[in-house]
Amino acid sequence: METEELKRKLKEKAEAVQSVTVEIRTFDDALRYAVDLTAEQGGKTIAAPGLSKKERSSLAKSCEEKGITLLTENLKQHTGGLHTGFTGVDWGIAETATIVLDSASEDTRIATMLVETHVAVLPLSRLRYSASDIEPELTRMMKKHPSYTAFISGASRTADIERALTIGVHGPQQLHILILEDKKS
């Protein structure tokens, strides 16, 4: 399937599960997006584990300009006050608008599940049509110990409370998938 068709399918399926998809050109665009979104929503924190020193420095500067606190490790100490989680994505599945992350790190799990908004950066070269298209990669991911692979499709939702759909009960209320144009695509 062609790249444009994959992006179109991802956007269509993401909309169906109330996720936002945005195409970005650089990782710095992703950092700015996360900071601006957090500020617009009145958030005061961004949890961003796993960043390189350069990325962390750039995000810290942007956060400081908007009065946002950047948290990059020991997120368990801040679980009651996390607004935005900012993570990378290992794979994307267009057919279901699912992002796949190696979540062996407790900080990564916290940044994807115990925040109000999750901003996930998906390199376009890592977008595939179906889960079966990434089966060999998933097998390798799950062989690492400890292994914890998360499949995330949209914001947290449940209808088990009086059969009324409720968003954000078991995780983020919003998922923003940033499609990063990378050199491999």
Side-chain angles (χ1 to χ4, degrees):
M1 184 174 276
E2 287 188 33
T3 301
E4 289 304 314
E5 181 63 18
L6 279 174
K7 288 192 294 188
R8 186 197 64 71
K9 179 59 90 176
L10 175 68
K11 289 177 181 182
E12 170 192 321
K13 295 299 182 173
E15 187 176 309
V17 292
Q18 290 81 40
S19 292
V20 175
T21 55
V22 176
E23 292 184 49
I24 57 171
R25 296 184 65 202
T26 68
F27 195 80
D28 282 341
D29 291 342
L31 299 174
R32 279 190 294 280
Y33 182 95
V35 171
D36 290 345
L37 179 66
T38 303
E40 286 172 19
Q41 294 178 340
K44 299 295 180 201
T45 58
I46 294 180
L51 297 177
S52 70
K53 186 175 181 179
K54 179 182 174 189
E55 293 164 347
R56 195 170 39 250
S57 175
S58 182
L59 183 54
K61 181 179 177 186
S62 295
C63 284
E64 187 177 321
E65 291 170 0
K66 299 271 187 169
I68 296 170
T69 301
L70 174 61
L71 304 165
T72 59
E73 56 188 20
N74 301 316
L75 299 181
K76 192 175 188 177
Q77 298 173 5
H78 306 279
T79 55
L82 298 175
H83 184 274
T84 301
F86 181 85
T87 67
V89 172
D90 293 299
W91 295 98
I93 302 170
E95 168 180 63
T96 56
T98 301
I99 55 174
V100 181
L101 295 90
D102 176 348
S103 297
S105 158
E106 180 181 57
D107 284 338
T108 299
R109 290 192 304 275
I110 290 170
T112 61
M113 295 189 292
L114 298 179
V115 295
E116 293 180 37
T117 300
H118 179 195
V119 177
V121 181
L122 168 63
L124 183 56
S125 64
R126 296 282 186 142
L127 179 60
R128 299 293 186 271
Y129 181 74
S130 70
S132 61
D133 294 334
I134 59 172
E135 181 184 357
E137 290 82 2
L138 290 173
T139 300
R140 276 192 290 282
M141 285 173 71
M142 289 187 258
K143 283 184 179 178
K144 293 190 307 186
H145 294 285
S147 178
Y148 188 112
T149 303
F151 289 70
I152 302 169
S153 300
S156 166
R157 57 184 59 244
T158 186
D160 64 356
I161 303 169
E162 298 183 21
R163 297 185 190 163
L165 180 63
T166 307
I167 305 294
V169 173
H170 305 294
Q173 295 173 10
Q174 293 184 17
L175 173 61
H176 293 248
I177 303 171
L178 307 184
I179 306 167
L180 173 63
E181 292 287 339
D182 59 346
K183 294 174 179 65
K184 297 174 188 168
S185 55

